[in-house]
Amino acid sequence: LRREQEMLLEAVARSMNEAGPRQAPPASKSSLKGLKAFAWDEQVASSARNHSTEDKRECAICLYPYERGQGVTEMPCGHMMHSECLGP
């Protein structure tokens, strides 16, 4: 039975590698325009910490911390990111 499980796992791994990475389609420009965008400052940082257990002082995409005055966009799920990380 153990050999059969190993063979099954190997087959699944091969299948996943052949399929390549699966990514969600990019968001439309119109849906991005509807998101909340603002400049990062200490008041925003304090509010973000108070409303979430997740550390929101760094971008959810590039993982670099926000700097004062940088453009930040908040997704409907609450994740925030540098506006420039969302692309053109």
Side-chain angles (χ1 to χ4, degrees):
L1 182 63
R2 181 169 169 86
R3 179 67 185 145
E4 290 174 358
Q5 289 174 330
E6 288 175 5
M7 289 174 57
L8 178 61
L9 289 175
E10 288 173 12
V12 168
R14 272 195 313 276
S15 174
M16 291 176 71
N17 287 336
E18 291 170 2
R22 296 177 190 225
Q23 298 177 352
S28 68
K29 289 182 182 184
S30 62
S31 64
L32 292 177
K33 287 180 182 180
L35 298 175
K36 179 181 172 186
F38 47 90
W40 185 259
D41 62 22
E42 289 307 311
Q43 183 178 0
V44 172
S46 177
S47 176
R49 283 192 296 271
N50 291 336
H51 293 347
S52 174
T53 57
E54 181 181 339
D55 185 0
K56 293 186 176 183
R57 292 172 290 180
E58 62 184 28
C59 177
I61 295 175
C62 72
L63 303 180
Y64 284 108
Y66 303 116
E67 294 180 17
R68 185 177 188 170
Q70 273 187 314
V72 176
T73 301
E74 185 174 12
M75 302 297 282
C77 61
H79 287 99
M80 292 190 287
M81 59 219 49
H82 295 111
S83 297
E84 64 187 31
C85 286
L86 289 174

